[in-house]
Amino acid sequence: MQRQMINILTRRLGTAQQMRPLSVTAQRREIFKVQSAEDFDKKVKNSQQPVVVDFFATWCNPCKLLTPRIENVVGEQKGSIKLAKVDIDEHSELALDYDVAAVPVLVVMQNGKEVQRMVGLQDEDKIRAWVAAAVKQTKQ
Amino acid sequence: MSLLKVLRATDLIRSHSALRWCRHTGSFPRYDYDLVVLGGGSAGLACAKEAVDCGARVLCFDYVKPTPVGTKWGIGGTCVNVGCIPKKLMHQASLLGEAVHEAVAYGWNVDDRNLRPDWRKLVRSVQNHIKSVNWVTRVDLRDKKVEYVNSMGAFVDSHTIMYYPKPGQEGDRRQVTAKYVVVAVGGRPRYPDIPGAMELGITSDDIFSYEREPGRTLVVGAGYVGLECACFLKGLGYDPTVMVRSIVLRGFDRQMSELLAAMMSERGVSFLNTTVPSSVERQSDGRLLVRYLNTTTQTVGSDVFDTVLWAIGRRGLIDDLNLGAAGVKTLNDKIVVDASEATNVPHIFAVGDIIHGRPELTPVAILSGRLLARRLFAGSTQRMDYADVATTVFTPLEYSCVGMSEESAIELHGADNIEVFHGYYKPTEFFIPQKSVRHCYLKAVAEMAGDQRILGLHYIGPVAGEVIQGFAAALKSGLTVKTLLNTVGIHPTTAEEFTRLSITKRSGRDPTPASCCS
């Protein structure tokens, strides 16, 4: 439905003036904050695609720096990998189940299992390389 | 047969574990846990973790009832959340404000004229740190395999604790049985029984996460909580007044306490001495009108404040435990224990702030909790030594002491058998910014005879806690004046002044030094 509307709009705009590309990144579906244990099961463990889980805390400054970086990198992957954000205070049992001690922690999950994890803040290039490697590995 | 009759009479028959016991008379009753700890603070957690290390199965309950204004916090107890830790951080914040001014004298090009604190940023930073400690505590409990339930436990009988896993949902009630129970529920601040106290006043439970700037604050109470709060508020640029019912720092050395109060006055903290509050009401402009009575002059007065902070003492949290069901004796609002922290019920113990007549300090709680766990599960016989516990009051010039006060020593040994060495001193760093040295003072209280065993050390000055800590170990090892004066000092420090003590009170000589290095 959204796609049809975009197509209509772009065609209208295109006739009126020079074609301006309108991109609708499905960010709402790719990047989300986990609301409950059931939400985690449904959207992470049972996800068809691999998911990067960002375990963060509101009181953690490196987490505040990491989240926009991982959001960027996941956005660049254009849907081949999703991002689930977990507030460890809201979902303490879940975080403890995944052995989260220090934060931030990024965990790549596929088919309900952990593939790899990265602990601590890294610069965006390192994160990009790490995510790319994860996507590649999960495609195999 | 008569046993069953007794059990029926006492209602124990309803308890699941008792039923099992009756059916299998002769076999030893099995409990759900070796140890249930009530309270996840300094004492409770130390005891729980040590018990697991000794091989016990442990369950720990922790729950925080919100304050009247709604403040809550996570696991870790008073020290981590609303005590030592945030207190020290705010103390540090106020010292740093002072340091900026001193920096100017040392040549730094800072504009210290309109220095204002960002209270919300300070609170946010302090709270972020506290929350990180809450998390580390949870991870630690998990790693150490201590089971943790975030709810209040209450006694059903001496071996059975009941709780609501989801507080507020009274339909879901659970029970656990334990071979041993350790009560470590600590205490909370008291409120005075006057109009407006709970609705309009806050306590130390609230100040460290207070969303509003405190402004002009009335601190009611002159124990170390009240004095420390007043001092960091002063250092942050607010205008505190301390209301003192009778004396400052009850229980501490009198001379040192008066000197500390004088130091605070010199720094601009106002005192309302021998005064008690009568009521608090909110004015139309939102500020608080406090009426009070000066008990010496018997005159009434009133004043307007932005914040009223009660620091009149703390009460033990025995009310929600249903101790009667377990038969545990209490005194006032505390639990009575013997020298092995046992209550009158042999398998029920208590540690930390909840016990009657012991110092309410985190390190005391931690060590006594650990030693208790070792006695219960590792065959240890070592008991907690509550004597000669060092402590510090974190005012801007701090006061730290270990051992006896001068008056206690005189009372115990007689004035003729006591020698007090004392002196004022001038920290080297104070000269350049011309900081007041008027209250930099220390004294050693010692026996008169022989090598003169030291009974107490008292120090007012910078980083007092750091200064006294090592001396606490020395005192415990039997430090004498002879050894002290033969110890070479580290120079230039303030701690070395202990090795330079030479003037006795008895001599009547002026304890004010002319200069250093001689």
Side-chain angles (χ1 to χ4, degrees):
Chain A
M1 179 62 186
Q2 260 179 323
R3 285 258 160 244
Q4 283 174 317
M5 285 191 59
I6 295 305
N7 288 336
I8 293 165
L9 277 167
T10 37
R11 246 180 275 136
R12 287 263 163 99
L13 280 172
T15 49
Q17 61 202 73
Q18 244 190 335
M19 264 287 265
R20 272 169 68 221
L22 278 175
S23 67
V24 180
T25 44
Q27 280 205 332
R28 248 195 70 228
R29 281 180 252 134
E30 260 181 5
I31 298 176
F32 57 93
K33 187 160 176 270
V34 171
Q35 301 297 318
S36 64
E38 296 75 34
D39 199 35
F40 186 82
D41 282 345
K42 196 173 92 180
K43 292 194 190 147
V44 177
K45 284 168 98 166
N46 297 333
S47 164
Q48 303 287 35
Q49 296 148 296
V51 183
V52 178
V53 184
D54 175 8
F55 288 99
F56 72 94
T58 53
W59 37 261
C60 158
N61 283 327
C63 300
K64 294 196 174 92
L65 295 171
L66 179 69
T67 298
R69 292 181 196 178
I70 185 64
E71 281 178 348
N72 251 6
V73 168
V74 164
E76 286 167 7
Q77 291 294 327
K78 296 209 189 314
S80 55
I81 193 165
K82 297 197 283 185
L83 176 66
K85 296 187 276 191
V86 177
D87 182 327
I88 64 174
D89 287 323
E90 285 174 13
H91 310 289
S92 297
E93 288 301 328
L94 179 62
L96 289 169
D97 285 341
Y98 282 89
D99 284 320
V100 173
V103 274
V105 178
L106 297 176
V107 178
V108 174
M109 300 275 296
Q110 193 190 31
N111 297 326
K113 293 209 188 73
E114 174 177 334
V115 171
Q116 65 189 40
R117 73 166 57 195
M118 181 191 321
V119 179
L121 177 68
Q122 313 286 347
D123 62 38
E124 202 162 318
D125 289 330
K126 278 225 179 70
I127 298 171
R128 191 171 287 117
W130 183 78
V131 170
V135 171
K136 196 162 154 221
Q137 188 180 351
T138 54
K139 283 204 167 88
Q140 288 164 353
Chain B
M1 218 49 232
S2 60
L3 188 60
L4 271 172
K5 271 204 198 130
V6 167
L7 285 167
R8 265 200 206 102
T10 58
D11 243 7
L12 263 173
I13 201 94
R14 287 187 214 283
S15 154
H16 183 54
S17 63
L19 266 174
R20 274 185 290 172
W21 190 36
C22 293
R23 281 198 213 114
H24 303 102
T25 28
S27 66
F28 199 76
R30 248 199 77 243
Y31 300 102
D32 298 325
Y33 292 92
D34 299 312
L35 174 66
V36 164
V37 178
L38 298 172
S42 304
L45 293 180
C47 187
K49 290 192 268 188
E50 187 74 23
V52 169
D53 278 350
C54 297
R57 268 199 72 208
V58 183
L59 173 66
C60 179
F61 286 94
D62 186 68
Y63 188 75
V64 178
K65 263 192 187 167
T67 70
V69 297
T71 312
K72 292 195 292 198
W73 50 90
I75 192 174
T78 297
C79 171
V80 165
N81 293 287
V82 287
C84 331
I85 302 296
K87 174 269 294 283
K88 190 83 192 292
L89 294 175
M90 294 217 166
H91 172 59
Q92 177 69 356
S94 76
L95 288 178
L96 287 171
E98 214 176 295
V100 174
H101 293 299
E102 291 172 44
V104 174
Y106 277 93
W108 284 100
N109 282 325
V110 278
D111 180 7
D112 69 328
R113 277 166 306 169
N114 292 310
L115 216 54
R116 285 205 30 75
D118 182 344
W119 171 260
R120 286 192 185 81
K121 184 171 176 184
L122 172 61
V123 166
R124 206 167 41 239
S125 303
V126 168
Q127 289 303 314
N128 282 349
H129 174 67
I130 291 171
K131 290 193 181 117
S132 76
V133 176
N134 294 144
W135 178 254
V136 168
T137 306
R138 281 212 67 183
V139 173
D140 198 25
L141 283 181
R142 177 87 165 222
D143 287 347
K144 294 212 153 67
K145 304 206 184 345
V146 176
E147 286 182 50
Y148 158 62
V149 175
N150 182 215
S151 72
M152 276 202 296
F155 284 95
V156 175
D157 62 54
S158 69
H159 280 286
T160 311
I161 305 287
M162 73 93 160
Y163 66 101
Y164 298 102
K166 294 182 172 58
Q169 290 185 25
E170 258 78 57
D172 182 16
R173 195 189 108 139
R174 308 259 179 94
Q175 268 182 201
V176 289
T177 57
K179 184 172 177 201
Y180 297 108
V181 181
V182 170
V183 182
V185 295
R188 293 287 286 269
R190 281 181 205 281
Y191 287 79
D193 188 12
I194 61 172
M198 275 203 172
E199 307 87 341
L200 302 172
I202 62 169
T203 66
S204 57
D205 281 354
D206 306 297
I207 188 70
F208 301 114
S209 54
Y210 205 42
E211 277 154 12
R212 296 176 33 232
E213 269 197 283
R216 185 159 190 261
T217 305
L218 174 66
V219 176
V220 180
Y224 69 83
V225 173
L227 297 190
E228 286 174 351
C229 286
C231 283
F232 73 66
L233 287 172
K234 181 69 192 170
L236 291 168
Y238 302 112
D239 176 21
T241 300
V242 178
M243 187 179 281
V244 185
R245 182 181 59 179
S246 58
I247 55 171
V248 297
L249 290 178
R250 183 177 299 281
F252 285 81
D253 185 279
R254 211 43 10 233
Q255 178 200 13
M256 305 303 285
S257 303
E258 299 296 327
L259 205 56
L260 205 69
M263 180 273 300
M264 289 173 65
S265 289
E266 188 184 60
R267 280 159 176 268
V269 177
S270 316
F271 281 87
L272 284 169
N273 284 303
T274 64
T275 304
V276 292
S278 322
S279 67
V280 186
E281 52 196 80
R282 194 180 287 285
Q283 299 183 149
S284 51
D285 64 357
R287 302 184 81 203
L288 300 171
L289 174 70
V290 180
R291 293 184 207 280
Y292 47 79
L293 169 71
N294 183 320
T295 54
T296 310
T297 62
Q298 287 297 315
T299 51
V300 293
S302 68
D303 205 345
V304 182
F305 301 94
D306 298 304
T307 305
V308 175
L309 182 94
W310 309 115
I312 59 172
R314 297 175 67 84
R315 59 182 180 85
L317 297 178
I318 55 170
D319 289 339
D320 298 304
L321 295 172
N322 197 21
L323 287 170
V328 173
K329 277 215 195 81
T330 61
L331 182 58
N332 300 330
D333 50 27
K334 300 278 178 75
I335 295 180
V336 180
V337 298
D338 64 18
S340 62
E341 285 83 36
T343 66
N344 56 305
V345 181
H347 64 272
I348 299 180
F349 299 82
V351 276
D353 285 3
I354 196 63
I355 61 185
H356 183 267
R358 305 282 162 81
E360 290 179 24
L361 296 167
T362 282
V364 170
I366 291 175
L367 186 54
S368 59
R370 285 208 188 115
L371 292 177
L372 173 63
R374 285 185 213 150
R375 289 198 304 274
L376 292 178
F377 300 109
S380 164
T381 52
Q382 190 189 355
R383 291 179 167 182
M384 177 69 186
D385 182 3
Y386 289 96
D388 298 330
V389 171
T391 184
T392 301
V393 180
F394 291 96
T395 43
L397 275 190
E398 300 170 7
Y399 165 39
S400 191
C401 58
V402 60
M404 298 179 110
S405 65
E406 191 176 329
E407 53 267 23
S408 300
I410 290 173
E411 196 186 312
L412 191 63
H413 297 271
D416 291 337
N417 299 320
I418 294 295
E419 190 79 277
V420 181
F421 294 81
H422 71 153
Y424 289 87
Y425 64 93
K426 297 176 179 159
T428 307
E429 298 88 345
F430 281 33
F431 288 106
I432 289 179
Q434 293 184 298
K435 267 177 86 159
S436 165
V437 298
R438 192 174 289 116
H439 306 101
C440 293
Y441 175 85
L442 68 161
K443 69 180 178 183
V445 178
E447 287 175 350
M448 180 70 102
D451 288 343
Q452 297 186 291
R453 188 170 67 101
I454 292 188
L455 304 167
L457 292 169
H458 301 261
Y459 166 97
I460 289 180
V463 295
E466 312 289 359
V467 168
I468 288 290
Q469 180 68 88
F471 285 109
L475 196 105
K476 235 178 155 67
S477 310
L479 180 66
T480 61
V481 172
K482 181 165 178 229
T483 305
L484 185 60
L485 297 184
N486 278 308
T487 305
V488 178
I490 303 171
H491 187 71
T493 63
T494 53
E496 65 172 314
E497 296 296 331
F498 275 112
T499 65
R500 289 165 36 103
L501 284 169
S502 57
I503 296 171
T504 63
K505 279 196 177 177
R506 185 169 270 113
S507 70
R509 279 162 55 206
D510 180 6
T512 312
S515 65
C516 81
C517 315
S518 63

